[in-house]
Amino acid sequence: MTQPVMDLCEQVVCSTYARYPVVLERGRGCRLWDAEGKEYLDFVAGIAVCNLGHCHPEVADVICRQAQTLVHVSNLFYTRPQVELAAALQRLSFADRVFFANSGAEANEAAIKLARKYSRDKYGPGRFHVITMEDSFHGRTLATLSATAQEKVHKGFEPLVEGFHFVPYNDIDAVRRAMTHHVCAVLVEPIQGEGGVRLGDPDYFRELRALCTERDVLLIFDEVQVGMGRTGTLFAYEQLGVSPDVMTLAKALGNGLPIGAMLATEAAARAFTPGSHASTFGGTPLVTAAAAKVLELIARDAFLASVRDKGQYFLEKLEGLRARHPDKVRDVRGRGLMVGMELAGPGKAVVDGCLERGFLINCTHETVLRFVPPLIIEKDDIDRLVTALDAVLKEWAP
């Protein structure tokens, strides 16, 4: 059953992904099953998307009911699910206004456009540059690709969109040096996911906030991967002691349905006026109804406390692996259930070894195993993965 699907995919789908030789057919909670009936314990969650697990019954029920009520009418009209989701996001965050899109890249694209428009309205032309961080990742559209400070994603798409300047992550002095009178925004991830699960220091973000306020430069937090409970608070910025002017969300907001959101303060958001930006499918009744239920479930204090507890447990277990394999594991780091384990060599063979044993994990930045399981993962499941990793590491040579 597997091979015909893979063969057809090679014939009809663009070759933009290096896929694993697995055809996944169904999921429930933290588990997936392939076309051959093999079960997998999922520590990828659709790349930090299915934070409530696969086919969550309450979310699935909302999707089914909304699909029979109203799916799409465009943003020429008001719809209750969209407005209610925006109101909930406003109530639970720093933001005053929300713009809905379909993905994280589109949310970041909106944030970049908003920053440029804000600055032009206030200061005139020429103040359109955006500072981003080395090893960042902000999307695959031409502007967000240009904002992503990784050369490997730029190749073949030059010339890039002008006006993006890259500086080292977690280095406030580098930001100060780059802060010319042409800069309108700083775009940064509270934790770099694709960059290797790298955590920024709280002092760095406090100084960044002060610098942006002083220069009237918009501070944009990309929380596409780290938001929606992933770090143990609803939004990662809550643990940094500062609020941005603009924040982007996507991934887990829809728990698998395509949705992105750009949240902004009133001062920043007023730069967008009718006709200045739009999205045909942004915030449809179907996806916003589902996202509202996802937000309701994740925002509960007890749920977020459980994420923090399981995240600490996971880190401790991986530190135990590091102690048993000091020549193979260089570092363990993370916050909540966004956890990275840096290896002494390329991690592909470790990922493959776990896949053979029925565990889905991911390697980013070539040497960093990234664990972003559904937030409903149990400690027993974490123990199972750690046992499998221990066995794989015993066989693995860096």
Side-chain angles (χ1 to χ4, degrees), residues 49-63 65 85 88-89 91-92 227-230 232-234 252-255 288-308 310 375-376:
V49 167
C50 300
N51 282 10
L52 291 174
H54 300 280
C55 302
H56 189 284
E58 291 185 63
V59 178
D61 181 59
V62 169
I63 293 170
R65 284 189 283 109
L85 174 60
L89 287 168
R91 175 174 52 83
L92 293 166
M228 295 301 295
R230 174 58 54 187
T233 48
L234 185 57
L253 181 57
N255 205 61
T288 52
K293 174 55 70 173
V294 172
L295 183 62
E296 174 196 328
L297 294 171
I298 289 179
R300 293 171 178 171
D301 290 341
F303 185 90
L304 293 169
S306 75
V307 174
R308 295 191 293 273
K310 289 181 288 192
L375 304 183
I376 61 171

Side-chain angles (χ1 to χ4, degrees), residues 37-72:
K38 182 177 178 179
E39 179 182 306
Y40 300 85
L41 189 53
D42 187 7
F43 279 78
V44 177
I47 314 179
V49 167
C50 300
N51 282 10
L52 291 174
H54 300 280
C55 302
H56 189 284
E58 291 185 63
V59 178
D61 181 59
V62 169
I63 293 170
C64 291
R65 284 189 283 109
Q66 187 62 46
Q68 298 175 70
T69 305
L70 187 66
V71 173
H72 174 77

Side-chain angles (χ1 to χ4, degrees), residues 321-322 325-332 341-344 393:
L321 275 185
R322 182 185 182 189
H325 304 279
D327 57 329
K328 298 179 180 181
V329 180
R330 288 180 174 171
D331 191 26
V332 171
M341 187 168 77
E342 186 172 352
L343 303 176
L393 287 172

Side-chain angles (χ1 to χ4, degrees), residues 15-36:
S15 300
T16 54
Y17 303 101
R19 302 176 193 264
Y20 294 101
V22 176
V23 177
L24 295 173
E25 290 208 332
R26 63 185 179 94
R28 177 67 63 176
C30 297
R31 284 162 172 76
L32 291 159
W33 289 266
D34 67 17
E36 310 299 328

Side-chain angles (χ1 to χ4, degrees), residues 11 13 38 49 61 63 68 86 125 133 145 206 220 238 242 244 281 305 309 311 315 326 338 340:
Q11 297 173 36
V13 178
K38 182 177 178 179
V49 167
D61 181 59
I63 293 170
Q68 298 175 70
M133 310 305 153
L145 177 150
R206 283 191 285 271
I220 305 170
E238 297 176 76
V242 300
F281 293 110
D309 177 57
L315 284 170
M338 186 170 186

Side-chain angles (χ1 to χ4, degrees), residues 155 184 229 276 294 365:
K155 290 180 179 178
C184 68
S276 58
V294 172
H365 218 57

